[in-house]
Amino acid sequence: MSALAKRIIPCLDVKDGMTVKGTNFVNLRMAGDPVELARLYSDSGADELVFLDITAGIEGRQTFTQMVTRVAKEINIPFTVGGGINKMEDVERLLYAGADKVSINSAAIITPELIDMVASKFGSQVCVCAIDAQFEDSRWICYTKGGRERTQLQLYDWAKEVTDRGAGEVLFTSMSHDGMKAGYANEALAHLSSMLSIPVIASGGAGEMSHFRDTFLVGKADAALAASVFHFGEINIGELKTYLLGEGIKVRI
């Protein structure tokens, strides 16, 4: 993996058609129109985008699907969509709307066979398995339902299983680091990267450019995802990539 360029991925949480951002999965604030933000990020050098539908229910689902179609028409970089994906029909709906990949999280834990089904029908490259975990009593414990429900699963065991089932990437969010802007969970990321044969995306904790450097060099992550530092103009993607190049990290300019 080391020869590949590292990816910078803005993440947009979408609620009722608008982008929002919280801290430790709560305290949401508005961050703008997702289609406009997508175009801005695409133009400014983002490698990929992730959109997460955090509005439950049929109405929110329809709004989100329409947004996916609009985004697909506006940008020319790959984008992943997640949130509310519980069955193959949800996967098909979003891919046919224009998404390049789907991210499954809670549904994968509840119905692990969903990973196998997506990978076998559409290919592993389409299936991103998102894992939200919190460090408790010297172990990383997985959570579902947007960080609300604790499971018995441990991060490393579950990451190995999703890889074996055919997931193409693991998107690991440290709930302990999310929104804190104190850096990524690099020790856990390095362990994941060493044990898995698929790319690992770091999520949760970006606050300054050095945090991206550290997650690539120390955490061995293949990609770094962030939200608020991009949404609120704290870090410019072009400047970040120039900085990373200067630190000896291969990125696409």
Side-chain angles (χ1 to χ4, degrees):
M1 301 285 172
S2 58
L4 296 175
K6 304 294 188 180
R7 290 171 287 151
I8 302 298
I9 308 177
C11 179
L12 297 88
D13 291 340
V14 179
K15 182 176 189 290
D16 302 325
M18 291 299 287
T19 310
V20 296
K21 184 61 189 110
T23 303
N24 297 128
F25 285 44
V26 293
N27 302 325
L28 301 178
R29 58 177 174 153
M30 290 295 182
D33 175 64
V35 181
E36 286 182 17
L37 278 172
R39 193 187 307 120
L40 179 71
Y41 290 141
S42 178
D43 292 345
S44 64
D47 296 294
E48 297 183 24
L49 298 174
V50 171
F51 295 87
L52 298 178
D53 181 3
I54 62 170
T55 307
I58 298 300
E59 194 174 321
R61 200 160 283 175
Q62 289 168 345
T63 302
F64 188 75
T65 307
Q66 290 163 357
M67 182 216 73
V68 169
T69 303
R70 288 169 57 214
V71 168
K73 290 175 181 172
E74 291 286 342
I75 68 172
N76 56 6
I77 58 172
F79 70 100
T80 302
V81 293
I85 297 177
N86 299 307
K87 51 190 185 297
M88 280 299 284
E89 290 90 330
D90 298 325
V91 174
E92 290 163 354
R93 172 174 52 83
L94 292 164
L95 291 176
Y96 296 148
D100 297 281
K101 309 178 196 178
V102 292
S103 170
I104 49 178
N105 188 336
S106 301
I109 289 177
I110 296 162
T111 315
E113 299 76 22
L114 185 58
I115 300 168
D116 307 65
M117 291 162 65
V118 174
S120 78
K121 180 162 185 180
F122 296 107
S124 289
Q125 77 283 353
V126 160
C127 185
V128 178
C129 196
I131 305 176
D132 298 332
Q134 187 151 282
F135 195 63
E136 305 169 1
D137 301 322
S138 72
R139 296 178 305 167
W140 285 96
I141 303 296
C142 300
Y143 277 71
T144 60
K145 307 283 177 64
R148 292 188 295 276
E149 290 191 12
R150 190 181 192 273
T151 72
Q152 296 302 308
L153 286 171
Q154 293 191 43
L155 169 65
Y156 303 129
D157 297 337
W158 178 233
K160 177 74 168 65
E161 180 175 342
V162 305
T163 303
D164 292 343
R165 286 183 177 276
E169 292 182 285
V170 164
L171 167 53
F172 163 52
T173 300
S174 165
M175 294 168 58
S176 317
H177 294 69
D178 179 65
M180 301 304 290
K181 299 187 178 180
Y184 293 92
N186 291 322
E187 193 176 325
L189 285 159
H191 188 67
L192 282 172
S193 296
S194 68
M195 64 176 277
L196 301 181
S197 58
I198 60 174
V200 175
I201 304 169
S203 170
E208 56 191 58
M209 292 189 190
S210 64
H211 296 154
F212 290 86
R213 175 198 65 199
D214 294 345
T215 205
F216 293 139
L217 296 179
V218 181
K220 309 297 182 190
D222 297 276
L225 179 145
S228 60
V229 290
F230 296 142
H231 299 339
F232 302 113
E234 295 162 37
I235 293 179
N236 173 278
I237 293 173
E239 292 172 4
L240 171 61
K241 286 191 164 186
T242 301
Y243 164 80
L244 291 171
L245 274 179
E247 294 290 324
I249 295 164
K250 185 178 177 183
V251 290
R252 292 186 200 91
I253 294 291

